Amino acid sequence: MKPRFLKTFVLITVIYSSLIGCSAKEEISSPQVKTEQVHKELDPKNMTQEELNTLSEEEIDVINGPENGRPIEINKTVMVGDYEVQLNHYYYTLNGIYTKSSLTGHVFSQKPSSNDEGYGVLNVKVTNHSGEEQLSTVSFDVITPNGEVKSGGISGTNIKNPFANGSSVIDGGFKEGNIVFITPKDKPSLTLRIRQIFTDNGEDAVAEIPLPVE
């Protein structure tokens, strides 16, 4: 190879190697783009049906739970007949209670028939102090300021951890869970009525407690 061509070849090789080195350095030194995790806004009013159908059971529990994850704390215990009734917390879910079909995966909302009503959810613990095993016969209702009675234990709702009333409880045993009421959407001051049905003396035992609201 002639000296002039050799010199040109070496020069081209050096320039090419330099370009490759620069490219590699730029690739190494370039900051990596971080992928930010996008959290799904769990507001059913702003979601399409297709988006609702992609929700997991855990996400549906969040939608059905208290606003901002904070229920209204009650922390009050009363005796009603043979039962110690512990009122833990209460919250509203005004957009209905959402459930997901295990067959089709379709998510839908269960709502009261009136547009002026929503659901209230009360968490309770009921302990049997009768001295023997017996059926839990404690009922829960809420009374509006105008005297209207809204029965608790609405059937068919898919609320998490429902209260199993009417089942057998041993002496000293308890049942704990959530009770669903239909309540006015304007969140008035309500009265909670707790009743033990069919006590030993044949009369119902009743306690009425003002229900705190936001």
Side-chain angles (χ1 to χ4, degrees), residues 23-177:
S23 177
K25 288 180 181 178
E26 289 176 359
E27 182 178 350
I28 293 172
S29 61
S30 298
Q32 294 182 351
V33 179
K34 295 182 179 179
T35 302
E36 295 182 359
Q37 183 178 3
V38 179
H39 295 282
K40 188 182 299 179
E41 182 186 4
L42 297 180
D43 186 351
K45 299 189 301 296
N46 299 328
M47 299 175 71
T48 65
Q49 185 61 55
E50 289 74 17
E51 290 173 330
L52 286 172
N53 293 344
T54 65
L55 293 176
S56 66
E57 293 294 340
E58 291 76 15
E59 289 172 323
I60 292 175
D61 287 338
V62 172
I63 289 178
N64 290 336
E67 297 175 356
N68 301 319
R70 294 192 299 271
I72 305 163
E73 297 295 336
I74 302 176
N75 299 323
K76 183 179 181 65
T77 301
V78 295
M79 286 298 301
V80 182
D82 296 325
Y83 292 92
E84 176 186 274
V85 180
Q86 179 179 324
L87 309 174
N88 298 321
H89 53 255
Y90 183 83
Y91 65 88
Y92 292 99
T93 174
L94 301 181
N95 297 319
I97 295 178
Y98 285 78
T99 186
K100 187 170 190 174
S101 170
S102 59
L103 296 177
T104 65
H106 184 81
V107 173
F108 58 94
S109 173
Q110 298 159 285
K111 299 181 180 181
S113 56
S114 172
N115 291 329
D116 296 327
E117 295 177 323
Y119 287 119
V121 182
L122 174 69
N123 183 269
V124 300
K125 178 180 178 181
V126 177
T127 304
N128 177 16
H129 290 300
S130 66
E132 60 183 2
E133 181 176 354
Q134 63 179 12
L135 294 178
S136 172
T137 56
V138 180
S139 66
F140 297 84
D141 307 295
V142 288
I143 306 171
T144 66
N146 63 6
E148 185 179 5
V149 178
K150 303 285 189 180
S151 298
I154 301 300
S155 61
T157 57
N158 194 42
I159 200 70
K160 186 178 181 180
N161 188 29
F163 180 75
N165 204 8
S167 56
S168 181
V169 185
I170 63 172
D171 180 46
F174 65 88
K175 297 290 182 182
E176 186 172 11

Side-chain angles (χ1 to χ4, degrees), residues 186-202:
D186 56 4
K187 300 183 182 180
S189 296
L190 303 173
T191 300
L192 175 66
R193 176 185 290 167
I194 310 170
R195 184 193 306 268
Q196 182 194 350
I197 306 170
F198 308 128
T199 59
D200 290 340
N201 61 11

Side-chain angles (χ1 to χ4, degrees), residues 12-33:
I12 293 174
T13 303
V14 171
I15 294 174
Y16 181 73
S17 299
S18 178
L19 289 174
I20 293 176
C22 291
S23 177
K25 288 180 181 178
E26 289 176 359
E27 182 178 350
I28 293 172
S29 61
S30 298
Q32 294 182 351
V33 179

